[in-house]
Amino acid sequence: MTATKVPRLRELFIAASVAAVAAAAACDGSVQGGDNAPDAAPVAAPDAQIGPTQWDEALASREVDYGHALRIASLRLVGSLPTLAEIKFVTDAVDPASAYEATIDAYLGDPRFARQMRYFFRDSFRIGGGELDSAPNFAAQLVVEDRSFLDLFTATTDTCPTYDSATGTFAAASCDSGAPATAGVLTDPNVMRHFYSNMAFRRVRWVQETFACTKFPAEFGDPQDVGGSAQYTSPWAFDSIAGAETGGVIDFRDTSAVICANCHTTMNHQAPLFAHFGEDGRYNADMVVPTPAEGAPIARLADFLVDGETMAWRLGEPVTDLTGLGAALASDPAVAECMVARTWNFAMGKGDIVNTLALVPGAVVQAQIAEFQTSGFRLKEVFRSVFTSDDFVKF
C-alpha cells in the first residue's frame, strides 16, 4: 500500500517539547535537553492553528502496516532487510499481529542483535573502538542477556566483557582500574581515560548527559539575587562551592558569571569522585587531575567544595564514593526514563536526545517506563514493547 505517512505520536509532540526546554540555559550557553527538566514551565502548542482536535484526527487516521514496520524493525534490530520468508510469514498470516510479534522476538534473539546493540551504545555513550568498546560491550551484554540494566551502575565484577563478532556473544571480563571497588561503568578505566579533563568535569558531564539525558544545569531552585549580573537558580547554597575567598584555584562564586555556579554547584559535588582517575584511566589514592589555572596545579578537594560539604548526586542525596553514586543513579527515576527514551529514539530513527534535542515526552513512553520498572529494569523488554507499540506499527 502506498500512502503519505502520517506523523507518529513522537513527531506530534516534538515541537511543544522543544519550547519546554528553551528556558533552561546550560553553562556553555546551549539549551537544556530532555523532557524531565526540573520545574519546566508549561508551554502552549507553538502553532496556534493546530488544536487538540486536529492532533487527535491525525493520530486516528494512522493505519497499521506490519509489512512496513517489519522492514524498519529488521534494519534496526539485526542490521538488514527482512527475508522474503519473514515478510510472507507476517503479511500472509491469519493473525499478522501475532506473527509480527513473533518475528520481533526472533530478532531479539538473533546473534546480529548483539552487534546492533554495540552500535547503539557506542552512539549513546559517545565512546567506542578497540579498548574503548568496554562500556558499550557491557551495556549491550546486559540487554542481549536480558539482565537488569541497573547493573550498568552497580555491578562489582565482569564490567569489561569482550565480544565475539562471529557468534554475537560476550565473554565475561573484569576491568583493571585499580579502584577500591567496582561500580559498573563508573569505574571503567577506558571511560575514565577517554573523558579525561581538567578537574574531571568531562567525566561528570558524560554521566549527566548520557544517563539523565539533560545538560547542565541539572538542578533548579527558586531564583535568588546573589549580587551578580543574573539570578542564581540552583537549589544548593551559593557558598557551598569553592571560590577565590575560600582559597580555591578557580572562583566558582564569580558573580560576573553566575550561570557557572548554577552548573557547578551540582558538578563540584560529583567531580571529586572522578578526580582520582589519571590520564591513563587508573585510580590513584590522591587526586590526579589538573586544574585550568596557570601551571596546571593538581586539583584538591578544597578547589571543588568548602569544608564540611560532602559529595552528592543531587541536593539531599549525598554519596561518599562511586559505589554510592552508582546506587543513586540506579534509583533515580529520571535515569530509567532516559534509557527508555533513548530506546524509543533508536526505534523511531531519531537523533540524540541531548545533542539534537530529539526529545521524548514522558507521557509518550509512560507504558514502556512502567514495563521497564516492573520487569526488573530489563531493557530488552523495552525494546520489544517499543517495536510492537501502536506508534511503531501505525503509519
Side-chain angles (χ1 to χ4, degrees):
M1 179 180 70
T2 302
T4 301
K5 294 199 296 180
V6 177
R8 300 179 191 275
L9 183 61
R10 174 68 188 81
E11 282 90 347
L12 293 173
F13 281 98
I14 187 66
S17 302
V18 170
V21 300
C27 287
D28 59 2
S30 57
V31 297
Q32 175 85 0
D35 179 55
N36 297 316
D39 301 325
V43 293
D47 187 348
Q49 302 302 313
I50 301 179
T53 300
Q54 290 171 286
W55 286 31
D56 292 341
E57 289 175 354
L59 289 172
S61 68
R62 298 177 302 170
E63 296 181 0
V64 172
D65 187 338
Y66 287 115
H68 194 172
L70 182 67
R71 288 191 291 276
I72 300 171
S74 182
L75 288 169
R76 301 272 196 274
L77 297 176
V78 296
S80 63
L81 289 167
T83 65
L84 179 60
E86 290 169 342
I87 294 172
K88 292 179 68 65
F89 175 71
V90 171
T91 58
D92 294 348
V94 175
D95 183 0
S98 296
Y100 172 79
E101 291 180 6
T103 306
I104 294 300
D105 287 335
Y107 288 159
L108 295 176
D110 192 297
R112 293 172 293 174
F113 178 59
R115 178 193 61 198
Q116 297 301 103
M117 287 298 93
R118 292 177 75 243
Y119 293 156
F120 169 59
F121 286 112
R122 278 179 175 180
D123 289 343
S124 297
F125 291 0
R126 287 170 285 175
I127 185 173
E131 292 182 347
L132 298 180
D133 274 331
S134 55
N137 280 355
F138 186 45
Q141 181 186 34
L142 295 177
V143 176
V144 171
E145 296 180 0
D146 207 16
R147 294 164 51 185
S148 170
F149 201 72
L150 300 187
D151 285 353
L152 193 71
F153 315 113
T154 62
T156 57
T157 59
D158 299 331
T159 57
C160 285
T162 59
Y163 172 70
D164 186 338
S165 59
T167 61
T169 58
F170 300 91
S174 292
C175 298
D176 181 20
S177 68
T182 297
V185 297
L186 301 180
T187 51
D188 185 319
N190 299 310
V191 170
M192 296 298 105
R193 174 166 57 91
H194 186 62
F195 292 105
Y196 176 78
S197 69
N198 288 326
M199 300 186 78
F201 287 142
R202 284 190 69 213
R203 294 163 180 168
V204 173
R205 179 183 174 186
W206 177 73
V207 171
Q208 173 65 29
E209 295 186 4
T210 304
F211 303 119
C213 284
T214 59
K215 290 187 177 183
F216 283 106
E219 301 177 88
F220 297 85
D222 294 331
Q224 302 174 45
D225 183 359
V226 294
S229 57
Q231 290 190 310
Y232 174 65
T233 59
S234 170
W236 290 90
F238 183 69
D239 59 4
S240 66
I241 53 177
E245 62 192 275
T246 68
V249 171
I250 305 300
D251 189 6
F252 292 109
R253 299 185 190 180
D254 182 4
T255 54
S256 68
V258 177
I259 189 173
C260 292
N262 290 337
C263 297
H264 280 282
T265 42
T266 301
M267 297 177 75
N268 286 22
H269 283 85
Q270 297 173 20
L273 297 169
F274 296 103
H276 293 266
F277 293 89
E279 191 171 4
D280 60 358
R282 291 190 55 79
Y283 185 89
N284 297 266
D286 298 320
M287 292 187 183
V288 291
V289 294
T291 61
E294 183 178 357
I298 298 301
R300 310 158 299 154
L301 183 59
D303 292 321
F304 296 97
L305 302 169
V306 298
D307 287 343
E309 284 292 313
T310 60
M311 277 76 77
W313 166 237
R314 296 288 189 257
L315 178 65
E317 298 182 51
V319 299
T320 58
D321 52 28
L322 288 172
T323 298
L325 180 63
L329 284 164
S331 63
D332 190 334
V335 173
E337 183 172 332
C338 172
M339 299 320 300
V340 171
R342 287 192 178 281
T343 303
W344 181 273
N345 275 1
F346 170 75
M348 302 300 178
K350 303 302 176 184
D352 185 79
I353 292 174
V354 176
N355 293 340
T356 68
L357 285 180
L359 312 177
V360 185
V364 174
V365 290
Q366 185 175 10
Q368 284 74 30
I369 293 171
E371 290 171 357
F372 189 40
Q373 294 168 335
T374 58
S375 70
F377 298 96
R378 291 154 53 211
L379 199 59
K380 194 173 190 178
E381 289 297 308
V382 177
F383 276 94
R384 186 184 192 280
S385 178
V386 171
F387 278 90
T388 58
S389 67
D390 280 354
D391 290 310
F392 189 82
V393 302
K394 287 186 175 182
F395 300 87

